[in-house]
Amino acid sequence: MFKNLVEQYEHLLFNKAQHFPLFYFIFPTVGLLLIHFLRVFVFNNKKNKGISEVLEAVHHGKKLPAYKVPSHFFNGFLTVVFGGSTGIEVSTVVATSALGDMASRKDPIFKKYRKEFIGAAIACGVTLLFNSPLAGLFFSYETIGKQRGKVFWITHLISVGFASLILLLMNVSPIFGVGARELPNNYEAVPFFVLLSFVAGCFGVYITKTVVWIKRQSFFESQRYIQLLAGGLLLGGLLYVIPPLYGDGYHAIHALTEQVSITTGIWILLAAVLLKPLATGFTLKLGGDGGIFAPSIFGGAFIGALVGLLVQQFTGIDVYLINFIILGVALTVAATLHAPFTALFLTFGMFDTYALWLPLVVLVLLSYFLSKKIYPYTVYTLAMKK
C-alpha cells in the first residue's frame, strides 16, 4: 500500500511540476514544512534517524516505539511525493522493524529472539519493495546483523515466503522489468564493465561522504523556519535544473531503460550523477525522511548509462546501454551499503532478469571491496560509530 500510494502521487505532482516549473520550488518547501509540523505537533518533536535507529535497537537493545510506524509512513510519503530527493526504502525498513520489535514484546519467550523478529519484519518489507525474497533475506543478514541460528532461518523464511505470496496474489510487477527483452552479450564490453565497477566503487564513497558532510553542516540551525524555507528553495533549484532528481528518481530510470541514445546528453547524466548526493543530503538535513538506498539505485543507473555512452562515443564499440545501467545499479548499491549480495538479488528483482548474472557476481564483490578499502564505513555504520 505504501509503495503504490507514494508512486501514484509522486507521478501526479511531478507531472504538475513539469508543466508549471514554479512547483519545483513550492513542492519541496511545502513537504518539508508539513513534516516539521507533524514532528512538532503529532510526534512530540522526536526526529527520525533512519536505519541507524534499527542498528541501535539491534546492537544496543534500544526500544523502537510504536509511533515509528505512522511517523515513517507519513514523513516518507510527504518527503518523496513533494520532491525530496530520496526514497521510501529506509522509511519501510524502520517502520517494519518497529513492527517486529512490537511483536517480540507480545510474549516473554519472544523477547529472547527480538533481533530475529526485527530482521524478519525488515526482510518482508524489502522483499515487497524489490520483488526479491533473496534481497530481503540478505539485506537483513548483511545490514541489520549477521545471524546463523535456526530461529533466524525459520523466522526469515516464513517472512519472505509470506511476502512472496503477497507478490504473487497481488500480481506485483518488477520496478524496471526488462525480463521480456533480449539482453545480448557483448564480450568487447567486458573491460568496460570492470572499469564501471571501479567507478561505481568510488561513487559509492562519494555518496556516503557527501551526504554525511551536508548533514553535519550548520545551516540556520537556530532559525528553523528560515532553514526550511531557504533549504526548500535551494532543493527546488536543483530540481528545476535537473528534473530527474525529483523524488526517488525511478521515473528517470524508467526513461533510461526505455530508450537511451547519445541525445540523452552526457552532460545531463553527469550533472545528475554529481548532484544527486547533494540533493539527498539537503533533503535529509532539512528533516526529510529517507536514506541513501534509492539515491544509490538512481546514481548507479545514471553512472552506468554515462559510462556506456562514453564508451559508444569514444571507442566506436556498439555496447548495449541497458547492460551498463543494470550493472551500474548493482555495483553502486554494493559500494554504498557494503552489502554485495543484497545488491545482487535486489538488481535481479528490480529488472526481472538474470542475463548478466556472471559479471554481476564477480563485479559486485570488486566494487564492494574497493569502496570498503577506500572508506570502511557506510552512512549507517558511521552514525553508529559516532
Side-chain angles (χ1 to χ4, degrees):
M1 180 181 68
F2 185 37
K3 175 183 175 181
N4 292 338
L5 194 65
V6 170
E7 182 179 353
Q8 179 181 348
Y9 283 95
E10 181 191 5
H11 281 254
L12 178 66
L13 267 64
F14 179 58
N15 287 334
K16 296 287 186 183
Q18 285 182 305
H19 290 94
F20 188 57
L22 187 60
F23 281 145
Y24 283 124
F25 298 90
I26 296 173
F27 286 159
T29 306
V30 170
L32 292 168
L33 286 169
L34 288 173
I35 291 169
H36 174 71
F37 292 140
L38 277 176
R39 179 172 296 135
V40 171
F41 297 109
V42 179
F43 300 118
N44 298 321
N45 207 24
K46 294 180 179 178
K47 293 184 177 182
N48 291 327
K49 297 187 291 183
I51 290 180
S52 59
E53 289 180 284
V54 182
L55 297 177
E56 288 175 357
V58 170
H59 298 293
H60 303 303
K62 291 189 177 181
K63 182 179 178 182
L64 286 168
Y67 81 84
K68 288 293 177 185
V69 179
S71 172
H72 280 280
F73 183 95
F74 287 109
N75 291 349
F77 174 83
L78 292 171
T79 300
V80 177
V81 165
F82 282 96
S85 198
T86 181
I88 63 166
E89 291 79 12
V90 170
S91 301
T92 302
V93 166
V94 181
T96 52
S97 66
L99 290 171
D101 191 19
M102 291 160 59
S104 72
R105 300 196 294 267
K106 292 297 181 182
D107 191 281
I109 195 172
F110 291 171
K111 293 180 181 179
K112 181 180 177 182
Y113 303 106
R114 179 171 177 261
K115 185 187 294 187
E116 287 82 356
F117 270 84
I118 292 174
I122 291 171
C124 181
V126 173
T127 296
L128 291 169
L129 285 179
F130 297 109
N131 290 49
S132 174
L134 288 174
L137 190 64
F138 277 105
F139 180 81
S140 176
Y141 179 79
E142 292 181 309
T143 307
I144 305 306
K146 293 180 172 60
Q147 306 168 61
R148 297 182 179 86
K150 291 180 181 178
V151 177
F152 169 84
W153 290 107
I154 292 171
T155 54
H156 281 64
L157 290 175
I158 290 173
S159 181
V160 299
F162 183 73
S164 301
L165 181 62
I166 293 175
L167 291 173
L168 180 64
L169 294 176
M170 301 292 285
N171 197 26
V172 179
S173 301
I175 301 175
F176 314 117
V178 298
R181 274 190 255 170
E182 182 183 359
L183 299 180
N185 294 316
N186 187 339
Y187 295 106
E188 292 178 302
V190 170
F192 302 106
F193 289 167
V194 176
L195 172 64
L196 178 59
S197 70
F198 282 96
V199 175
C202 296
F203 180 65
V205 175
Y206 169 68
I207 292 176
T208 299
K209 288 200 166 190
T210 301
V211 170
V212 169
W213 180 78
I214 291 175
K215 290 176 69 175
R216 289 176 177 172
Q217 299 308 301
S218 177
F219 179 67
F220 295 112
E221 298 294 336
S222 61
Q223 299 171 295
R224 182 60 176 162
Y225 289 104
I226 292 178
Q227 182 190 57
L228 291 172
L229 290 172
L233 293 175
L234 180 61
L235 180 58
L238 291 174
L239 302 182
Y240 177 79
V241 175
I242 309 291
L245 300 178
Y246 192 102
D248 55 26
Y250 289 170
H251 50 88
I253 302 176
H254 273 292
L256 286 181
T257 57
E258 291 300 323
Q259 55 177 14
V260 181
S261 66
I262 202 67
T263 57
T264 302
I266 286 177
W267 291 110
I268 295 295
L269 292 173
L270 180 60
V273 166
L274 295 177
L275 293 178
K276 182 65 173 181
L278 293 173
T280 300
F282 285 130
T283 300
L284 300 178
K285 171 67 177 176
L286 297 168
D289 208 55
I292 59 171
F293 217 126
S296 299
I297 295 169
F298 174 93
F302 270 66
I303 210 164
L306 177 63
V307 170
L309 284 172
L310 289 172
V311 170
Q312 280 187 342
Q313 185 172 22
F314 293 106
T315 69
I317 300 173
D318 188 22
V319 296
Y320 299 97
L321 294 174
I322 187 64
N323 292 347
F324 280 83
I325 293 170
I326 293 171
L327 281 163
V329 168
L331 299 176
T332 303
V333 172
T336 308
L337 299 183
H338 289 178
F341 292 103
T342 298
L344 185 68
F345 291 107
L346 174 150
T347 304
F348 290 151
M350 282 194 300
F351 289 96
D352 191 29
T353 178
Y354 289 81
L356 298 171
W357 70 270
L358 183 56
L360 277 171
V361 168
V362 175
L363 295 177
V364 292
L365 293 173
L366 179 59
S367 178
Y368 160 67
F369 285 120
L370 174 64
S371 66
K372 198 164 185 180
K373 184 70 174 177
I374 297 172
Y375 195 65
Y377 303 105
T378 67
V379 168
Y380 311 119
T381 58
L382 191 61
M384 287 284 292
K385 180 176 179 289
K386 299 298 180 183

